Amino acid sequence: MSLVLDPAAQDLLFREARTANTFSDEPVTEEQVQAIYDLVKYGPTAFNQSPLRVVLVRSAEARERLVPLMAEGNQAKTATAPLVAILAADNEFHEELPHLFPAFPQAKDAFFSERPARERAASLNAALQAGYFIVGVRAAGLAAGPMTGFDAAGVQKEFLDGDHTPLMIINIGRPGDNAWYPRSPRLSFDEAITTV
């Protein structure tokens, strides 16, 4: 095989990993979340812009505000997951570029002075980081349940501000009973990859 990553790690991160729909009541610790972030922050983004921002929903009060904003099919699992993370794109990420991209600190004004350009870049690059975050959750031995079925305007109003766009919400924890749906098919190499 051409991959250098240990087969057990490949299984943990990809082949055996699934979206969890139920969770045990074992808590997800701050140390686990810190370890996840400290790993995935190294995933590449354009100009190292790193626009992903994460709101951890831990308190009962915050959970009560979030659950009604979820699509009906996502409410019960969001109510019972040990930890819920709101992943958002920071549309003002450019303010950090002089620090994050010291090789070309002028990128802040040269490429991102206009809000529409920032929103496009933030959405794409935060989505990349969301993928890294899911893999990081798996690397911690936890299961992730990413969801896009929610009231985005409501989540923004309750938990964010006008400069942050919610992208997805992820339930995190150890899988519970009947956590997995059957594995869905994937495209073959020839269906997904074209050489020109």
Side-chain angles (χ1 to χ4, degrees), residues 53-55 65 86-89 152 154-167:
R53 302 296 180 264
V54 181
V55 176
R65 290 172 26 224
I86 300 169
L87 275 58
V155 168
Q156 184 177 39
K157 181 180 178 185
E158 283 292 320
F159 295 95
L160 303 166
D161 60 31
D163 290 330
H164 294 80
T165 303
L167 299 175

Side-chain angles (χ1 to χ4, degrees), residues 12-13 36 39 134-142:
L12 176 71
L13 300 178
I36 292 165
L39 175 65
I134 292 167
V135 173
V137 167
R138 294 170 174 180
L142 300 169

Side-chain angles (χ1 to χ4, degrees), residues 104-189:
F104 185 49
Q106 304 90 328
K108 173 188 175 210
D109 298 316
F111 299 109
F112 303 111
S113 61
E114 301 295 323
R115 177 74 179 230
R118 289 197 305 275
E119 288 178 353
R120 285 190 301 275
S123 178
L124 172 62
N125 287 278
L128 282 173
Q129 289 186 284
Y132 305 146
F133 187 85
I134 292 167
V135 173
V137 167
R138 294 170 174 180
L142 300 169
M147 302 165 291
T148 56
F150 61 90
D151 174 354
V155 168
Q156 184 177 39
K157 181 180 178 185
E158 283 292 320
F159 295 95
L160 303 166
D161 60 31
D163 290 330
H164 294 80
T165 303
L167 299 175
M168 70 179 63
I169 295 174
I170 302 180
N171 293 326
I172 303 170
R174 301 265 179 215
D177 295 333
N178 302 310
W180 320 116
Y181 294 141
R183 169 73 79 191
S184 295
R186 298 298 194 267
L187 294 175
S188 71
F189 180 88

Side-chain angles (χ1 to χ4, degrees), residues 1-66:
M1 182 168 277
S2 300
L3 300 177
V4 298
L5 188 64
D6 178 87
Q10 295 173 38
D11 289 344
L12 176 71
L13 300 178
F14 295 101
R15 285 193 290 261
E16 299 298 324
R18 311 272 274 290
T19 295
N21 292 289
T22 67
F23 296 88
S24 76
D25 59 2
E26 182 180 333
V28 176
T29 68
E30 287 295 325
E31 292 79 14
Q32 287 171 305
V33 177
Q34 181 76 49
I36 292 165
Y37 179 74
D38 285 341
L39 175 65
V40 303
K41 69 184 179 184
Y42 293 108
T45 58
F47 295 100
N48 196 36
Q49 62 191 243
S50 307
L52 182 70
R53 302 296 180 264
V54 181
V55 176
L56 299 176
V57 178
R58 287 197 182 273
S59 72
E61 179 272 329
R63 189 82 57 122
E64 288 173 9
R65 290 172 26 224
L66 177 61

